[in-house]
Amino acid sequence: MIKFVENFEPPGQLETPVLYMVFNRLDIVEKAFGQIRKAKPKKLYIAQDGPRPHVPDEKDKILKVREYILSNIDWDCEVKTLFREENLGINKAIPGAVDWFFENEEKGIILEEDIYMSLSGFWFLEKMLNKFKDDKDVWFVLAYNVIDIPYDYIKTDSFCAWGYATWKDKWMRIDFSHREDLSFLDEYFENKRIAKFNKAFFNHGKYLYDSKIWLEMVFNKAYSILPKTPLSVHLGWFNGTNMISDAFNENLFKYHSTVETLKDIDISLLEDYENLNPIRLYEIGEILAETHNIFAAIHSKKAENNIKNMLSKYNKIAIYGAGMLGYLLYATYDDLLNDKVCCFLDDNPQCDELFGKPVLKPENMPQDIELIVISPQSKAAYQNMKKKVSSKDVVWIEDLVF
């Protein structure tokens, strides 16, 4: 039974090793690391990517974060560090840090720089790590959830990197190389638009490491343990980082917790379920995200209806932007768009054609184009691109899908 508590009293030092992966945001680290200090893990691993050479003053910011953490480890613990001199980027630095962590440990809690844990969240992860260590199909324990579930925790097909725990043997089964055959997603998704979107997303190749973890879970029929209530907060949503961008609208804040709304739970009162049958939530989460995430909104029923309405009025259409969103829009609705989309437009074409359609500079588009769909999610980019094709009817992808 979930019982919320005002003041969670840790039962002692946290036994489970913690890996904290940081970069350059001192203000966020000061908040997030404060919770780690309260948990007092007996083993603390700190990993930090190196500075990007083209970013001014980044090395100084990185060193300030490093200094802050090392000077605020004020409890008795074993500390190991991995401080990189060169920048690897998120898709190499984070999996690499976890690999390094598991060179020394068999299980652990993994936290990125901007993840603020509730104090009880550490002990939830620890308890579930111990409970499910021998379940071969359970690969992760998660701290974050926004979907209502009927149990204290469930076994599900979701993955979220906003505070999680795993085991070395499960982590080592994740293949981060590109997977060519994605046909298994056709069987996995009930909603075939979502299936087409996800196949296009992973075929495109430009995705983050956490998306690849989820894909490998689906391929291997693996699951996560998910709590009924959120036990962590993503500080990046509220601190002006690149997570707050034109890819999201104001509905985002209806679904995601803040530090002020985060609650602790009584770990001792959690039900001890003997058998957990998997409950699939990923597709539900995708549909929920359609309200605030422009990527997910592409596969929404509203988007499909708007596209059908658009196609009833125009016969010759160009998609302006041959990048990620233009690619995903066409791939998700190729059955509808194939006969109407004549070409892609791009200010700096990286290829001659996409889906068998020519990729042209705006000044070279055919004169008989009737409508241009402008695909970048940035409003500034949309306004700039709109000026370049001012003689044509235009629609912004955000207006098309939201």
Side-chain angles (χ1 to χ4, degrees), residues 191-198 200 290 294-308 310-311 319 325-341 355 357 397 400-402:
N191 184 312
K192 298 311 173 187
R193 279 293 171 218
I194 297 181
K196 291 185 73 171
F197 172 88
N198 276 276
E290 290 174 356
I294 195 169
F295 288 89
I298 286 176
H299 54 58
S300 68
K301 193 63 180 176
K302 181 177 181 180
E304 181 170 347
N305 289 337
N306 287 343
I307 288 170
K308 288 179 177 178
M310 175 186 75
L311 296 177
I319 296 177
L325 279 177
Y327 178 96
L328 291 174
L329 179 68
Y330 186 92
T332 305
Y333 296 99
D334 59 348
D335 55 313
L336 301 178
L337 296 174
N338 182 56
D339 293 337
K340 296 291 185 84
V341 171
F355 299 110
K357 312 290 183 181
I397 191 170
L400 190 65
V401 302
F402 276 136

Side-chain angles (χ1 to χ4, degrees), residues 219-262:
F219 181 77
N220 288 280
K221 296 181 172 59
Y223 300 98
S224 297
I225 299 301
L226 187 75
K228 182 178 180 65
T229 188
L231 299 173
S232 66
V233 167
H234 192 302
L235 294 176
W237 294 121
F238 303 96
N239 285 271
T241 72
N242 58 3
M243 295 300 292
I244 288 296
S245 72
D246 294 307
F248 303 93
N249 66 22
E250 67 279 358
N251 288 324
L252 167 71
F253 302 104
K254 296 179 182 178
Y255 299 101
H256 294 287
S257 330
T258 66
V259 171
E260 291 74 24
T261 60
L262 193 63

Side-chain angles (χ1 to χ4, degrees), residues 360-398:
L360 309 171
K361 289 191 173 183
E363 58 266 29
N364 297 327
M365 71 174 168
Q367 290 299 312
D368 58 354
I369 293 293
E370 301 168 347
L371 175 72
I372 298 174
V373 179
I374 298 181
S375 65
Q377 70 266 26
S378 163
K379 190 169 185 178
Y382 159 69
Q383 292 172 337
N384 181 55
M385 295 161 81
K386 183 179 178 181
K387 293 177 183 177
K388 297 181 181 180
V389 291
S390 57
S391 64
K392 305 292 184 180
D393 289 350
V394 300
V395 61
W396 186 22
I397 191 170
E398 182 167 316

Side-chain angles (χ1 to χ4, degrees), residues 96-299:
V98 181
D99 288 344
W100 164 72
F101 176 71
F102 282 128
E103 289 174 5
N104 301 282
E105 302 296 342
E106 295 299 318
K107 61 182 179 180
I109 293 171
I110 317 295
L111 300 176
E112 293 184 27
E113 176 178 81
D114 48 13
I115 303 305
Y116 179 99
M117 290 286 293
S118 70
L119 201 51
S120 58
F122 288 100
W123 275 269
F124 173 83
L125 295 179
E126 180 171 88
K127 184 169 185 172
M128 297 297 113
L129 272 177
N130 294 331
K131 179 177 176 60
F132 292 98
K133 64 181 186 298
D134 297 323
D135 287 50
K136 293 183 179 180
D137 65 343
V138 175
W139 283 17
F140 295 95
V141 182
L142 309 181
Y144 195 77
N145 176 35
V146 295
I147 299 175
D148 186 38
I149 58 176
Y151 306 102
D152 290 359
Y153 50 90
I154 61 169
K155 181 192 292 188
T156 188
D157 57 344
S158 297
F159 177 77
C160 178
W162 301 356
Y164 63 96
T166 187
W167 303 263
K168 177 179 180 178
D169 59 334
K170 314 291 180 61
W171 175 260
M172 298 305 293
R173 294 191 63 184
I174 299 169
D175 181 1
F176 283 100
S177 63
H178 184 66
R179 189 173 289 282
E180 296 289 342
D181 183 5
L182 299 171
S183 58
F184 61 94
L185 292 178
D186 290 319
E187 298 179 5
Y188 172 76
F189 286 107
E190 293 182 13
N191 184 312
K192 298 311 173 187
R193 279 293 171 218
I194 297 181
K196 291 185 73 171
F197 172 88
N198 276 276
K199 288 174 69 177
F201 178 78
F202 286 105
N203 270 324
H204 192 272
K206 293 183 179 180
Y207 48 81
L208 295 181
Y209 79 97
D210 53 344
S211 295
K212 189 59 164 69
I213 289 176
W214 172 81
L215 186 69
E216 290 303 300
M217 287 176 60
V218 174
F219 181 77
N220 288 280
K221 296 181 172 59
Y223 300 98
S224 297
I225 299 301
L226 187 75
K228 182 178 180 65
T229 188
L231 299 173
S232 66
V233 167
H234 192 302
L235 294 176
W237 294 121
F238 303 96
N239 285 271
T241 72
N242 58 3
M243 295 300 292
I244 288 296
S245 72
D246 294 307
F248 303 93
N249 66 22
E250 67 279 358
N251 288 324
L252 167 71
F253 302 104
K254 296 179 182 178
Y255 299 101
H256 294 287
S257 330
T258 66
V259 171
E260 291 74 24
T261 60
L262 193 63
K263 296 179 180 179
D264 277 302
I265 61 173
D266 189 330
I267 301 298
S268 67
L269 295 180
L270 291 173
E271 294 286 348
D272 187 19
Y273 304 120
E274 291 188 10
N275 295 298
L276 285 179
N277 293 319
I279 298 177
R280 290 181 53 173
L281 290 184
Y282 183 83
E283 194 161 343
I284 295 173
E286 283 278 282
I287 294 171
L288 181 67
E290 290 174 356
T291 65
H292 58 269
N293 182 325
I294 195 169
F295 288 89
I298 286 176
H299 54 58

Side-chain angles (χ1 to χ4, degrees), residues 6 46 74 95 170 273 313:
E6 288 293 329
I46 305 159
D74 52 5
K170 314 291 180 61
Y273 304 120
K313 300 175 181 178

